[in-house]
Amino acid sequence: MKRLFCQAAFGTLLLAGVGQTADAQTTLYQPRDIKRAFAKGTRAADGRPGPRYWQNTARYDITVQAAPPARDIKGREHITYFNNSPDTLKSLVIRLIQNIHQPGVSRDGDASPAYLTEGVSIDSFAVGGQARPYNGRGQATAQTIALPRPLMPQDSVRLSFAWHFPISLESGREGMIDKTTYFLAYFYPRVAVYDDYNGWDRLPFVDSKEFYNDFNNYTLRVRVPANYLVWATGTLQNPKQVLQPTYAKRLEKSMTSEAVIHIATAADLAKKDITAQQPFNIWVWKANDISDMTVGLSDHYVWDAASVIVDPATKRRASMQAAFADSTADFHSSVKYGQNALGWFSRNWPGVPYPFPKMTAFQGFADMEYPMMVNDSPQKDEKFGQFVQDHEIAHTYFPFYMGINESRYAFMDEGWATTFELLIGRTERGAEADDLYRKFRVNRWIHDPSTAEDLPTITPSSELKAGYGNNSYVKASLSYLALKDLLGDELFKKCLHEYMNRWHGKHPIPWDYFNSMSSAAGQDLSWFFNNWFFTNGYIDLALTKAEKTTQGTVVTIQNVGGFTVPVDLKVSYADGSTETLHRSPEIWRANQQQTTITVPAGKAVQAVAFDHGLYLDADPSNDKLAVQ
């Protein structure tokens, strides 16, 4: 409470100074830990990784077993953790996300009895091959363990775990979909991120906020009974060993097919002959330089797949797959919609070829993204189902192509996914996409006058409860769209690509984004970023007067809310005609509190009014003005 109050007060002070002139140099506020990173040379002032940038990584070799309807999930793993930092590590922080299900842990929302479990039980633990008691200290979901000897810079340590946990009856981000369909996410112990600006990431997982992971190499073995199909992050290494030849051939064919291949239909499933007929099959998956692994399994989900070219230059294809109950109508279009999304995102916005070999849409409950997978709920409105899937697939770039710290800076990924969801939606649904964006995204924020909604966007996500969604999704997305309007599509895309290229496979923070966009644009955009991210602004423009001069009608606009939004001024003329004058946020560069638009002399102006478009106004009572 106190920390949020102080940030709000600080933001108010910033807002008091947003009316600065173009000649004034804006210096973006940096917390002390961020300042230290720049001073150490791990971050550079031009937005690039600094000359001393580093990040740690690991190799994970995981075996997990599930045998529905039994709820017990068992696993074992070997982790080789590499310390690339300049620091000597005397302890490690281990993430046990499944402990969010334990009664009494820190959690942002209520938990039903069906959600609660006893969490993770560590059955054995070893360091360097030597068995040790597991004595995790601290938070349930982020536990500190002491090492028997310090881990020196440029050295590695080998950890071994065996564990088990009961899968949650209530499915959310992960859990039981039905008695024989499970979705496993965050199911293995992992080493938390140790980074250059914050050290160990010890933030508890509270379920409402999301994740922060290193880029690692994974081998995953999933042991399930015969007749269970498995879908997972990564590339399946042994399809011919776990699938009967007919189905292995269908899967192989789908990798180069534009047409949807029904790898396993409801009729096929009824025969119970899709997998190798032995008591258990072990499905082996591999993925390198990726931030997480996720698994879905079922004995009655149908399986569709096709592919799409995601890199026109090399003709590289990506597989699009879907796993779902045959009775779920909208999921029968998942592959078709996914092909469109993978191709569109690759060619248009962000215009970076989809970086992974496949994407799988799994029918669940979460509407949640994972590397190479989405866990989406069924939708009665098929078009809304496509909208949800588009959003989750868009997350491929933020936070998975770039290792965003979602726990602290959720706007760095949710804001972009919200923006890309709109841009692809315009090609899929036309003007309906803008209507949905206004109703589903903007409306709930702009008409909520509570203090929490006006906290600066830069406020760490971990410090927000009320206001989290609007800061992370809406305000950030509107800022990205406003910057796109300010720079124009060509320069904006150039800057975005430069930022993404610099931080692909790394851990950018907001100041890397701000500085990278400025340096790539060749202009200081600090005034814009200060306005959108460091103030208590919102959207409220007022038409205050219109004066007829020899040059035309000069319309004065007051920026009551403070945000530097694009302006569309609809001009009504005495002869009954109308036109709309568009001004980008550049109109606020010189003075963020007030500006003018001159309607050229000629036809007599009768009235002016705002056409706010996406930028809904908090107080529309002063959005129209008659001209005398």
Side-chain angles (χ1 to χ4, degrees):
M1 292 281 290
K2 184 177 180 181
R3 186 178 301 183
L4 288 177
F5 175 79
C6 291
Q7 287 169 351
F10 174 74
T12 303
L13 292 174
L14 282 173
L15 185 58
V18 297
Q20 55 201 307
T21 66
D23 295 331
Q25 184 75 17
T26 302
T27 300
L28 296 179
Y29 163 74
Q30 288 183 357
R32 286 176 289 169
D33 54 354
I34 303 300
K35 284 183 179 179
R36 283 196 295 268
F38 282 93
K40 289 186 296 187
T42 56
R43 313 271 162 170
D46 63 359
R48 291 180 171 86
R52 296 180 179 175
Y53 180 81
W54 54 266
Q55 64 190 47
N56 292 349
T57 188
R59 287 199 303 264
Y60 285 77
D61 192 319
I62 306 169
T63 299
V64 65
Q65 175 178 314
R71 292 173 55 199
D72 200 32
I73 307 299
K74 299 177 181 179
R76 64 182 186 274
E77 70 183 349
H78 299 296
I79 306 171
T80 304
Y81 182 72
F82 298 90
N83 180 18
N84 297 322
S85 82
D87 304 325
T88 299
L89 303 179
K90 296 180 180 180
S91 61
L92 304 177
V93 175
I94 304 298
R95 285 275 176 197
L96 298 173
I97 300 297
Q98 282 290 328
N99 281 346
I100 189 64
H101 292 281
Q102 290 179 338
V105 301
S106 298
R107 193 184 295 113
D108 270 354
D110 295 332
S112 72
Y115 183 86
L116 298 176
T117 73
E118 59 264 36
V120 180
S121 298
I122 303 297
D123 301 316
S124 66
F125 173 60
V127 180
Q130 299 297 311
R132 296 179 58 83
Y134 180 79
N135 294 319
R137 307 184 309 276
Q139 298 285 348
T141 57
Q143 300 182 354
T144 302
I145 58 168
L147 292 173
R149 65 178 182 85
L151 178 58
M152 305 302 289
Q154 309 310 312
D155 200 357
S156 63
V157 62
R158 182 175 168 85
L159 310 173
S160 298
F161 288 89
W163 74 94
H164 70 276
F165 64 87
I167 193 168
S168 171
L169 290 169
E170 180 183 302
S171 184
R173 298 179 191 270
E174 38 73 31
M176 183 185 290
I177 310 301
D178 59 49
K179 289 183 178 179
T180 57
T181 304
Y182 293 176
F183 192 82
L184 305 180
Y186 331 115
F187 60 90
Y188 58 94
R190 70 188 75 190
V191 182
V193 176
Y194 182 79
D195 63 30
D196 63 304
Y197 65 92
N198 186 60
W200 285 112
D201 176 33
R202 301 178 190 272
L203 287 175
F205 175 62
V206 293
D207 206 27
S208 64
K209 315 305 187 296
E210 294 181 355
F211 305 95
Y212 183 33
N213 296 316
D214 278 322
F215 290 88
N216 305 306
N217 293 345
Y218 290 90
T219 299
L220 172 64
R221 298 171 182 84
V222 184
R223 188 173 187 265
V224 293
N227 301 316
Y228 274 82
L229 299 178
V230 178
W231 300 267
T233 300
T235 299
L236 181 61
Q237 301 296 297
N238 60 338
K240 294 180 180 179
Q241 283 70 52
V242 294
L243 294 171
Q244 299 281 11
T246 297
Y247 306 100
K249 288 177 182 177
R250 290 179 188 174
L251 176 60
E252 183 179 14
K253 182 180 179 182
S254 74
M255 297 297 175
T256 55
S257 173
E258 293 281 342
V260 176
I261 304 294
H262 303 298
I263 297 173
T265 66
D268 296 327
L269 289 161
K271 297 175 186 176
K272 297 187 180 299
D273 69 347
I274 297 174
T275 72
Q277 293 302 296
Q278 51 196 9
F280 283 87
N281 291 312
I282 299 177
W283 299 60
V284 182
W285 305 83
K286 286 195 174 182
N288 290 336
D289 196 28
I290 202 162
S291 57
D292 201 2
M293 295 289 276
T294 306
V295 179
L297 57 100
S298 179
D299 67 348
H300 63 274
Y301 269 19
V302 299
W303 186 359
D304 285 353
S307 70
V308 60
I309 293 174
V310 293
D311 190 343
T314 64
K315 305 299 182 185
R316 177 173 62 84
R317 286 182 173 271
S319 169
M320 180 66 213
Q321 304 183 24
F324 55 98
D326 191 50
S327 59
T328 309
D330 66 310
F331 264 81
H332 282 277
S333 299
S334 270
V335 169
K336 178 181 66 175
Y337 289 152
Q339 285 175 291
N340 179 69
L342 295 181
W344 195 91
F345 290 139
S346 298
R347 295 187 306 271
N348 297 280
W349 294 101
V352 173
Y354 180 74
F356 302 128
K358 82 167 196 301
M359 169 59 69
T360 300
F362 190 90
Q363 181 192 324
F365 290 102
D367 298 337
M368 178 68 192
E369 74 281 359
Y370 316 81
M372 299 192 219
M373 295 192 79
V374 300
N375 170 1
D376 283 348
S377 55
Q379 301 293 333
K380 292 181 180 179
D381 182 343
E382 186 174 307
K383 287 296 184 182
F384 191 78
Q386 182 181 21
F387 163 82
V388 172
Q389 183 172 287
D390 285 348
H391 177 96
E392 308 310 342
I393 291 177
H395 274 299
T396 291
Y397 299 97
F398 304 87
F400 302 134
Y401 187 78
M402 306 163 74
I404 303 300
N405 185 344
E406 302 174 89
S407 303
R408 292 178 187 272
Y409 305 118
F411 65 82
M412 294 185 71
D413 80 298
E414 294 295 356
W416 284 111
T418 302
T419 300
F420 296 149
E421 123 210 331
L422 169 69
L423 297 177
I424 191 174
R426 286 172 171 170
T427 71
E428 295 167 346
R429 295 180 296 280
E432 291 180 12
D434 283 39
D435 291 339
L436 181 60
Y437 185 94
R438 281 189 290 266
K439 294 174 184 177
F440 189 67
R441 299 300 190 190
V442 186
N443 188 62
R444 290 183 295 178
W445 162 58
I446 202 62
H447 295 124
D448 184 345
S450 62
T451 303
E453 302 303 338
D454 290 341
L455 287 170
T457 309
I458 198 69
T459 306
S461 308
S462 53
E463 306 305 315
L464 290 170
K465 190 172 182 181
Y468 168 77
N470 288 329
N471 260 18
S472 303
Y473 293 75
V474 183
K475 290 157 71 173
S477 176
L478 288 170
S479 83
Y480 301 144
L481 292 167
L483 185 59
K484 179 174 176 285
D485 190 58
L486 172 67
L487 297 178
D489 282 3
E490 184 177 353
L491 180 56
F492 179 76
K493 183 174 284 190
K494 171 182 175 291
C495 296
L496 179 59
H497 284 184
E498 187 64 30
Y499 166 54
M500 294 178 72
N501 290 339
R502 291 173 180 181
W503 290 97
H504 169 45
K506 298 180 176 65
H507 293 308
I509 55 177
W511 292 265
D512 299 319
Y513 163 67
F514 304 145
N515 295 335
S516 195
M517 296 298 279
S518 283
S519 68
Q523 55 181 288
D524 183 9
L525 296 169
S526 297
W527 67 274
F528 178 88
F529 295 128
N530 185 70
N531 177 277
W532 273 96
F533 289 90
F534 295 89
T535 76
N536 300 86
Y538 58 100
I539 304 172
D540 183 10
L541 303 182
L543 292 167
T544 57
K545 62 180 177 179
E547 297 179 299
K548 294 182 178 179
T549 69
T550 55
Q551 287 76 36
T553 302
V554 179
V555 180
T556 300
I557 303 170
Q558 194 74 24
N559 194 349
V560 180
F563 273 167
T564 55
V565 298
V567 178
D568 287 288
L569 187 69
K570 184 178 180 181
V571 183
S572 299
Y573 294 102
D575 64 3
S577 63
T578 63
E579 70 170 327
T580 299
L581 303 180
H582 176 76
R583 297 293 184 269
S584 84
E586 180 69 30
I587 198 172
W588 304 106
R589 186 189 288 258
N591 185 338
Q592 294 175 27
Q593 295 175 330
Q594 182 174 293
T595 191
T596 61
I597 293 178
T598 299
V599 182
K603 294 190 292 185
V605 177
Q606 189 175 62
V608 291
F610 290 127
D611 178 4
H612 288 294
L614 300 177
Y615 296 85
L616 299 182
D617 198 85
D619 179 11
S621 67
N622 46 27
D623 286 358
K624 297 178 181 179
L625 188 65
V627 178
Q628 302 299 323

